[in-house]
Amino acid sequence: MNQVAKVTEERQVAARYDEPANQGDGLLGIIERLASNKSMDVAKFEAIVKIRADEQERLRRIEREDREDMARREWLAAFSAVQSEIGPIFRTNENDHTKSKYADLADIERVVTPILTKHGFSTTSAPVPCDLDGHIRMRLTIGHSGGHEKIYEDDFPLDNTGSAGRVNKTAIQAKGSTQTYARRYLKASALDLAFMDDKDGNAVPPEDSTAVDQDQLVKIRKAIADADADVEKFCRFFHIEALPDLPAREFDRAISMIGQRRTRA
């Protein structure tokens, strides 16, 4: 064999192992190239494949953790926006036994659901297995369109007796009442809701549209400043363009609401 033929043959042999154009990519390509080499040590081959597989799994894990971290950040940012918009929940229902007002589940949902939905949240509530006798465990899941969710759970005693301790509900009524009660308390806790009495029934008399006078406006502004409250949020809550537009009928309620915020702070 002359020198030219020998060089040509060596190049052809080398091409079978070195040129990537005819080989697959990724882990499968590595396996194909190594398997075609009859002199490859089996133990080394297995070690190389394992190292490559471990590296790919590590990269997938990093990507997954990055996505989860981004979803958590989106959840927190959206949840912060929700809390900035949710005002106090007014107690509109009368408790005949305690002679006091309370906010039921409908009062909460009427305020919070549109705001949650606006910012990409959805909520689900469902009973889950509970080991505590005479109790129901409820689970609240707050999910976000970004992919992250938070789960809240608690155990609640069956609501099957009245204030005198006598059984006053059937088993199914007690179960339904307890689940409604639990949904209300879980959502109030998860969203950190505040409650206050709605002294005027949250009614808006159509004939009374007089705005606050100058003295009331000064007091409103001072109360907002002292409580470090958000003026824009305040205006959104009362559906007004600016503080001078606040109806005079809402003055007492506005002062009370701001005072509640200052007390919590």
Side-chain angles (χ1 to χ4, degrees):
M1 179 181 297
N2 58 37
Q3 186 66 25
V4 175
K6 183 177 181 181
V7 171
T8 302
E9 182 179 357
E10 288 176 350
R11 287 179 178 173
Q12 290 175 344
V13 171
R16 289 201 298 270
Y17 296 99
D18 298 336
E19 292 181 4
N22 296 323
Q23 301 292 337
D25 294 327
L27 181 59
L28 182 59
I30 293 174
I31 294 174
E32 290 175 347
R33 288 195 293 273
L34 294 177
S36 65
N37 188 345
K38 297 180 180 179
S39 64
M40 170 59 64
D41 183 276
V42 175
K44 290 182 179 180
F45 174 75
E46 291 177 347
I48 292 172
V49 171
K50 184 179 185 306
I51 290 172
R52 180 60 176 170
D54 290 346
E55 175 64 13
Q56 289 187 336
E57 176 57 32
R58 186 182 73 84
L59 293 175
R60 284 194 293 266
R61 184 177 67 252
I62 291 173
E63 291 175 356
R64 183 169 61 250
E65 291 172 353
D66 286 345
R67 288 195 300 270
E68 291 172 353
D69 183 63
M70 179 61 70
R72 281 193 296 269
R73 291 172 182 272
E74 290 181 7
W75 195 100
L76 290 171
F79 192 73
S80 177
V82 165
Q83 288 194 310
S84 72
E85 293 186 26
I86 293 180
I89 307 298
F90 291 104
R91 304 183 183 99
T92 62
N93 299 272
E94 295 284 349
N95 188 316
D96 295 333
H97 296 289
T98 62
K99 305 302 180 183
S100 61
K101 286 187 174 183
Y102 68 96
D104 63 10
L105 183 61
D107 290 326
I108 294 175
E109 296 288 1
R110 182 168 53 250
V111 174
V112 305
T113 298
I115 299 175
L116 286 170
T117 303
K118 170 185 172 183
H119 292 284
F121 287 100
S122 62
T123 63
T124 56
S125 300
V128 294
C130 178
D131 297 329
L132 194 58
D133 270 351
H135 288 67
I136 289 178
R137 177 172 298 175
M138 287 292 291
R139 172 183 295 167
L140 168 67
T141 303
I142 302 181
H144 186 250
S145 57
H148 186 64
E149 65 180 23
K150 285 193 175 183
I151 295 175
Y152 305 83
E153 286 185 2
D154 204 351
D155 297 329
F156 298 86
L158 279 169
D159 178 27
N160 57 5
T161 59
S163 58
R166 298 191 185 92
V167 175
N168 62 356
K169 296 181 181 71
T170 64
I172 191 66
Q173 288 173 335
K175 182 177 181 180
S177 175
T178 305
Q179 289 186 8
T180 300
Y181 174 93
R183 288 172 60 197
R184 174 161 58 102
Y185 273 80
L186 275 177
K187 187 161 286 188
S189 177
L191 299 176
D192 197 23
L193 300 179
F195 297 88
M196 64 183 296
D197 289 339
D198 185 9
K199 296 180 180 179
D200 65 359
N202 207 23
V204 182
E207 70 277 5
D208 183 8
S209 59
T210 305
V212 291
D213 59 30
Q214 191 60 35
D215 288 341
Q216 290 174 320
L217 181 58
V218 169
K219 291 178 181 178
I220 288 288
R221 284 175 170 160
K222 183 178 186 304
I224 289 176
D226 291 343
D228 194 23
D230 188 321
V231 175
E232 291 185 5
K233 178 181 175 183
F234 178 91
C235 291
R236 284 199 304 270
F237 181 80
F238 285 100
H239 305 290
I240 57 177
E241 293 292 330
L243 293 179
D245 299 327
L246 180 73
R249 66 176 181 274
E250 300 282 20
F251 174 76
D252 291 338
R253 185 156 71 105
I255 291 293
S256 175
M257 185 180 76
I258 298 170
Q260 290 274 348
R261 173 187 170 84
R262 189 175 181 183
T263 300
R264 293 200 303 273

